[in-house]
């Protein structure tokens, strides 16, 4: 709260979820890992094939959170709401683990 009170610009609370990048030798390996990731609840997972043929599988969840708290130095939410957001972000961190 002290940092928010001193802020002169925009402040955003941002939580980014777990991400695991796996370099795969074969496309079939990436497809198998992708299926397992999706079935395990990691809905934002995907496969990327680079120009050089590198096959990268990214395991990502949907547990993101991005909430503006202040605008041009003016706090836009209550302290109670910030405490709630911190609780939600901490729950998401536990889900990551």
């Amino acid at each position: 709260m002290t940092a928010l009170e001193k802020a002169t610009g925009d402040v955003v609370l941002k939580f980014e979820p777990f991400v695991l990048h796996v370099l795969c030798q074969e496309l079939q390996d990436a497809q198998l890992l992708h299926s397992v990731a999706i079935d395990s609840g990691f809905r934002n997972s995907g496969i990327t094939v680079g120009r050089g043929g590198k096959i990268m599988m990214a395991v990502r969840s949907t547990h993101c959170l991005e909430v503006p708290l202040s605008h041009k130095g003016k706090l836009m939410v209550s302290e109670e709401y910030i405490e709630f957001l911190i609780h939600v972000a901490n729950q998401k961190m536990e889900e990551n683990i």
Side-chain angles (χ1 to χ4, degrees):
M1 290 308 299
T2 303
L4 279 173
E5 290 166 3
K6 294 179 183 178
T8 58
D10 295 351
V11 175
V12 175
L13 173 68
K14 186 172 185 178
F15 173 83
E16 293 186 353
F18 165 83
V19 177
L20 173 67
H21 290 102
V22 180
L23 184 61
C24 299
Q25 240 177 356
E26 302 289 331
L27 183 57
Q28 294 160 330
D29 300 330
Q31 290 171 326
L32 176 60
L33 181 56
H34 183 259
S35 294
V36 170
I38 295 296
D39 290 346
S40 298
F42 294 97
R43 303 282 181 236
N44 281 352
S45 299
I47 300 169
T48 304
V49 180
R51 289 185 200 148
K54 260 196 215 178
I55 303 165
M56 185 68 66
M57 169 57 205
V59 179
R60 290 184 286 243
S61 75
T62 58
H63 297 112
C64 60
L65 177 69
E66 188 169 352
V67 182
L69 301 178
S70 71
H71 179 64
K72 296 182 181 177
K74 181 182 178 196
L75 188 60
M76 304 302 289
V77 297
S78 69
E79 186 173 345
E80 180 182 3
Y81 185 64
I82 292 170
E83 289 173 8
F84 168 74
L85 289 174
I86 291 169
H87 175 74
V88 170
N90 285 337
Q91 282 181 326
K92 290 178 180 292
M93 181 64 80
E94 287 297 320
E95 290 174 23
N96 270 339
I97 294 168

